[in-house]
Amino acid sequence: MTSNGDVFSAPLAAAAKYAQIWLDEIPNRGINPKIDVDQVRAAFGDVLPKVGVDAAEVIERLGTLGEPGLMGMGSGRFFGWVIGGTMPAPLAADWLISTWDQNSGAPLLTPTVVTLEEIAGEWLLEILGLPKTAVVGFPTGAQMANFGGLIAGRGEVLARVGWDVNVQGLFGAPRIRVLVNEERHVTIDTSLRYLGLGEPEAIAADDQGRIQISALKAALESGSGPSLLALQAGNIHSGSFEPFREAIELAHQHGAWVHVDGAFGLWALASPTLRPLLDGIELADSWATDAHKTLNVPYDCGVSIVNNAGALRRAFGVEASYLPSERDVKLWPSEKVAELSRRGRGVTVWAALLALGKDGVIDLVDGLVKNAKFLASELAKIPGCRVLNDVVFTQVSFAFENDERTEEVGAALIADHSIWISGSHWADQKILRISVSNWSTSAEDCAATILAVRRAAG
Ligand SMILES: *Cc1c(COP(=O)(O)O)cnc(C)c1O
């Protein structure tokens, strides 16, 4: 009898070979993709063959033809958007999770995966100093974690006024007021769209993108009824944090559910030096973050944290003839996120945290911030370059004399291939933005980055 292993060994060996080649090349490879989508299509061909191709050959093609169309996101000199790389332990854990191929929606299906996700959740609450009563789930990303917190809040604030959204729906429901920081991330708006809550009321922010307490107070006092407030930990342009304690206490006085989008910034809580900047954040009702950004696990892995198990079960609980009706009081993985059958992606978080240890998480977060501060101070020395934000976390927004010059430097940087910095628009001008999100960024990477900006600006 042949074992399954025989038919898997050649394609898996090919995958391991190309993974190793990629990881070896990353530090020296140009960051940019070498070919565009049309060239990728031409290289692979787009006609589905009548007769299938041998599995190992499929992977050979993927490894050789795919590489030129990849972006060097794992490089220590990649600072685009807010992305993050992957550390060794979570990457290898992810391979094993794929190989084990467990449907990870329920404990009876896969005790190992479900338990490791539970442990990862407990470790996260400990590291982030969030309430031990909170429920942690692992959706695909912060988009779905924002959705998770807000749908729990939607059901809860309606229940408090005697409206069961699951039975009665939203037509004719008491109107829910949604208040948001005017500089919120776009995924708050898409979440509200999924939830049928319409356009939110934008509350004015200060020059670092922090919600203004006076404006929030006025807005809360100008209305009544069920309400949601979305705050953020980590503005994408400045990295700034809200005045959480004041904002959350005010919102709670008005009966609002408070959700915090901390896609990358929630991790500041892990650092004893940064934690005071987020004072009071633990008072919120729900928090969203990503493990695939600051924690550097492979895509995709978000983290949804909701301090109200009942509201979460109202949102995501399922009853079906083929599922046991007697539930443990503990929620199933499928009751924590908007997925029934799901990948055990939270195991990558368990692997990352175990490999780092408590001290390693602190060093990871503090290291990113140290690099961001170094880059900001060196950028400020480049003639014509202005750093626009107080660098409190991992984000550095900067600009040159005028929009045209900033665009010119941005284009020159893209053409340089040695680093990647994204453009954006903030504080009424075109900007360039560095997000230090990769665990492997070294002092040499930072020095090379400053040299590249000097070249581009010169
Ligand atoms: C990246 C990001 C999101 C969305 O996260 P995904 O992982 O892309 O779903 C939401 N909010 C902020 C602040 C982000 O940086």
Side-chain angles (χ1 to χ4, degrees):
M1 239 180 72
T2 60
S3 77
N4 265 353
D6 294 339
V7 293
F8 283 101
S9 64
L12 286 180
K17 177 178 80 179
Y18 288 108
Q20 193 63 53
I21 291 172
W22 172 250
L23 294 169
D24 287 344
E25 278 184 355
I26 272 276
N28 307 311
R29 180 188 189 270
I31 307 287
N32 307 37
K34 298 162 194 161
I35 57 176
D36 64 17
V37 287
D38 293 330
Q39 292 168 303
V40 171
R41 182 175 284 266
F44 278 95
D46 56 8
V47 178
L48 178 64
K50 183 165 162 52
V51 179
V53 172
D54 172 69
E57 169 57 20
V58 170
I59 303 306
E60 282 291 329
R61 279 193 209 174
L62 181 60
T64 51
L65 302 177
E67 191 277 339
L70 301 181
M71 171 82 90
M73 295 183 199
S75 165
R77 288 170 282 103
F78 179 87
F79 302 105
W81 302 279
V82 186
I83 288 195
T86 180
M87 298 181 294
L91 170 60
D94 203 46
W95 284 13
L96 206 45
I97 285 297
S98 285
T99 310
W100 285 346
D101 191 27
Q102 305 283 288
N103 181 329
S104 306
L108 76 159
L109 296 176
T110 179
T112 294
V113 172
V114 169
T115 306
L116 291 180
E117 285 197 335
E118 265 175 22
I119 293 171
E122 290 159 18
W123 287 354
L124 279 177
L125 294 177
E126 184 185 341
I127 285 169
L128 301 176
L130 294 176
K132 296 251 185 293
T133 46
V135 178
V136 181
F138 298 97
T140 50
Q143 163 72 83
M144 291 313 289
N146 281 332
F147 171 75
L150 291 169
I151 192 175
R154 184 189 71 174
E156 180 64 18
V157 295
L158 286 176
R160 287 185 201 151
V161 293
W163 189 271
D164 184 341
V165 68
N166 289 353
V167 175
Q168 297 167 280
L170 280 180
F171 298 108
R175 181 163 178 83
I176 299 178
R177 296 184 72 199
V178 185
L179 308 179
V180 299
N181 180 322
E182 66 173 335
E183 292 199 18
R184 71 215 170 262
H185 192 266
V186 63
T187 54
I188 293 295
D189 297 78
T190 44
S191 298
L192 296 174
R193 226 182 282 160
Y194 307 161
L195 291 165
L197 292 179
E199 224 173 88
E201 297 172 46
I203 310 296
D206 67 14
D207 65 341
Q208 296 299 312
R210 292 171 297 222
I211 203 163
Q212 292 187 12
I213 292 296
S214 53
L216 175 63
K217 190 162 186 284
L220 284 165
E221 284 169 358
S222 74
S224 60
S227 50
L228 302 173
L229 169 65
L231 299 173
Q232 66 185 352
N235 175 292
I236 53 168
H237 292 118
S238 69
S240 71
F241 306 105
E242 313 275 27
F244 286 111
R245 183 172 298 279
E246 269 187 289
I248 297 171
E249 283 177 354
L250 258 178
H252 279 171
Q253 280 160 24
H254 288 82
W257 174 286
V258 182
H259 173 77
V260 180
D261 173 6
F264 64 96
L266 200 70
W267 295 91
L269 285 170
S271 158
T273 39
L274 298 171
R275 190 174 175 90
L277 299 174
L278 294 79
D279 174 58
I281 193 175
E282 67 282 356
L283 303 173
D285 300 285
S286 56
W287 306 261
T289 190
D290 270 319
H292 57 218
K293 291 179 178 172
T294 313
L295 188 63
N296 280 262
V297 311
Y299 277 77
D300 49 24
C301 187
V303 185
S304 162
I305 309 173
V306 177
N307 196 14
N308 187 327
L312 208 49
R313 177 167 276 156
R314 186 190 292 114
F316 294 132
V318 288
E319 303 295 336
S321 58
Y322 52 85
L323 296 175
S325 54
E326 284 282 309
R327 293 296 166 73
D328 195 284
V329 283
K330 259 190 203 162
L331 298 175
W332 287 8
S334 61
E335 292 176 304
K336 300 172 184 174
V337 298
E339 294 159 7
L340 181 55
S341 298
R342 52 181 296 286
R343 171 181 183 76
R345 59 175 74 79
V347 175
T348 62
V349 174
W350 170 85
L353 294 180
L354 184 61
L356 287 168
K358 285 185 198 173
D359 290 350
V361 178
I362 298 171
D363 292 346
L364 170 67
V365 174
D366 284 348
L368 300 177
V369 178
K370 185 172 157 232
N371 285 333
K373 290 192 169 175
F374 171 80
L375 288 168
S377 70
E378 292 301 306
L379 285 171
K381 295 177 192 161
I382 298 175
C385 182
R386 292 169 293 132
V387 174
L388 302 170
N389 64 312
D390 299 337
V391 181
V392 291
F393 197 52
T394 53
Q395 309 299 98
V396 184
S397 286
F398 60 104
F400 287 82
E401 292 88 343
N402 51 52
D403 281 1
E404 293 70 43
R405 267 283 286 161
T406 302
E407 279 197 314
E408 214 174 86
V409 176
L413 281 172
I414 300 287
D416 190 84
H417 288 224
S418 68
I419 65 168
W420 187 284
I421 292 175
S422 305
S424 187
H425 194 274
W426 187 60
D428 300 320
Q429 61 199 303
K430 296 229 158 98
I431 65 160
L432 295 171
R433 187 187 62 198
I434 284 177
S435 174
V436 185
S437 303
N438 194 294
W439 67 283
S440 72
T441 299
S442 63
E444 296 79 62
D445 288 325
C446 291
T449 300
I450 295 301
L451 281 179
V453 178
R454 281 188 179 277
R455 270 199 304 277

